[in-house]
Amino acid sequence: MTPDLRTRYLGLELASPIVASSTPMTGDPASCKLLADAGAGAIVLPSLFEEEILNEEIELARSLDAGTEQFAEALGYFPNLDTFKGIGERYLARLEKTKSMVKVPVIASLNAASTGGWVRYARLMQESGADALELNLYHVVANPDVTSSDREEMDLELIAAVRAAVTIPLAVKLAPYYSALAGFARSAVAAGANGLVLFNRFYQPDLDLETFDVVTKVALSHPSELRMPLRWTAILRPQLGSSVGLAATSGIHSGIDAAKAILVGADVAMVASTVLRHGPGQVRVIRDELAAWMAEHEYESVSQMCGAASAATVADPTAFERANYMATLHSWSSPTGLVGA
Ligand SMILES: Cc1cc2nc3c(=O)[nH]c(=O)nc-3n(C[C@H](O)[C@H](O)[C@H](O)COP(=O)(O)O)c2cc1C
């Protein structure tokens, strides 16, 4: 029997739990169509960054101001507001185009660190047809005057501000680096998140020893990176209950990886690196591999499978928590037989 791959995420009915995560590929409507044709249950667009919106507004204001003391004929040099298409507008146009080309839900994405007037873009995304919104909270808190509770407070204000701007479902993409993630996750839901995306990948800068330049280059993920989302999905699923959407992202490269994510409680498994590496058709490969695994292990549906191995159901729930640390370290055995043999 073919397993039923349907799932529910953020209140949306999806035909498949394999979701195309936010990447440059999903910024191209034609590629989104290929991803949907390959069986993606939903598509998350690349993020529109708070800084992009703010820079654009500053540029626009500067070019308008520049002419105020000039002669009237100079007005011809200034951008015509009716035809001025900035990054934000181009984003919304691409969103509309993608919506017109695919039948699966399209999730728009905002990347931000602070509240402000730019939050209106959340509403504009909704008006342009987004089925849901993903708010990507990405920050590196390097200011020693900012405490972790200050930062968390700002994040919660931001979630509440975006929540207030839209009526469509809201997912929040989190970093794993909160000191008390379970508490923050619960607060994020209380502030208005309908779901959590676990986790944002942090791109660490490197140093070029010849030029002393800071090198920023995206490295695609490795399947071992799935372990962190697995742990936290397993812990959070029973705590947050089934009404909160959970998406696993980072290190999902195969149907087996997707099966693990769903078993610990994810409603959807998001894929980015493997699709960038192998092309949109990789979604079909992963989906078929998941279906084959389910059939082999006699799971009839994703809903039957979801959370079957979360912290609430596994024989030893502490295996996902601190107890696991000592056991993991003690599990090491030397391939040379010289140390700890
Ligand atoms: C080139 C590239 C661009 C990305 N752009 C975004 C983005 O704009 N917004 C976002 O939330 N995540 C972005 N991501 C993160 C992915 O959506 C995904 O969460 C992350 O890569 C982990 O999944 P993976 O292991 O399947 O790659 C990007 C990832 C890559 C590789």
Side-chain angles (χ1 to χ4, degrees), residues 72-226:
E73 52 268 35
L75 284 171
Y77 296 117
F78 306 138
N80 177 345
L81 276 182
D82 293 335
T83 54
F84 181 84
K85 282 236 184 317
I87 291 174
E89 291 215 20
R90 289 202 300 276
Y91 188 97
L92 299 174
R94 268 201 313 274
L95 164 56
E96 280 175 21
K97 177 111 194 273
T98 306
K99 275 297 292 177
S100 73
M101 289 176 72
V102 302
K103 292 202 171 60
V104 299
V106 175
I107 302 173
S109 168
L110 267 176
N111 182 311
S114 61
T115 54
W118 65 268
V119 167
R120 75 179 184 288
Y121 267 89
R123 168 64 62 99
L124 294 173
M125 287 171 169
Q126 172 171 321
E127 287 168 3
S128 298
D131 295 283
L133 194 65
E134 192 173 284
L135 173 64
N136 180 344
L137 300 178
Y138 190 107
H139 36 65
V140 176
V141 187
N143 180 347
D145 293 329
V146 176
T147 66
S148 51
S149 40
D150 294 338
R151 184 59 252 180
E152 290 185 14
E153 212 41 58
M154 285 189 263
D155 283 349
L156 295 174
E157 272 172 29
L158 178 52
I159 296 169
V162 175
R163 170 75 285 163
V166 293
T167 53
I168 52 176
L170 173 65
V172 178
K173 191 167 183 176
L174 293 180
Y177 305 123
Y178 289 87
S179 330
L181 183 63
F184 182 76
R186 188 166 62 188
S187 303
V189 170
N194 303 102
L196 302 176
V197 183
L198 310 172
F199 289 108
N200 230 332
R201 259 180 101 223
F202 272 67
Y203 301 99
Q204 311 296 356
D206 200 359
L207 186 67
D208 183 320
L209 282 181
E210 298 306 320
T211 61
F212 280 23
D213 283 333
V214 174
V215 181
T216 45
K217 191 160 171 260
V218 176
L220 297 180
S221 70
H222 184 270
S224 63
E225 292 175 46
L226 175 58

Side-chain angles (χ1 to χ4, degrees), residues 21-24 44-49 109 111 134 136 173 197 199-201 203 218-222 225 249-253 270-274 276:
S21 199
S22 185
T23 61
V44 188
L45 300 189
S47 300
L48 179 60
F49 284 75
S109 168
N111 182 311
E134 192 173 284
N136 180 344
K173 191 167 183 176
V197 183
F199 289 108
N200 230 332
R201 259 180 101 223
Y203 301 99
V218 176
L220 297 180
S221 70
H222 184 270
E225 292 175 46
T249 170
S250 280
I252 298 174
H253 288 227
M270 292 189 171
V271 288
S273 289
T274 187
L276 290 178

Side-chain angles (χ1 to χ4, degrees), residues 7-12 14 107 171 196-197 245-247 267-268 270:
T7 187
R8 221 178 141 73
Y9 173 58
L10 307 175
L12 304 168
L14 311 187
I107 302 173
L196 302 176
V197 183
L246 287 181
D267 301 298
V268 294
M270 292 189 171

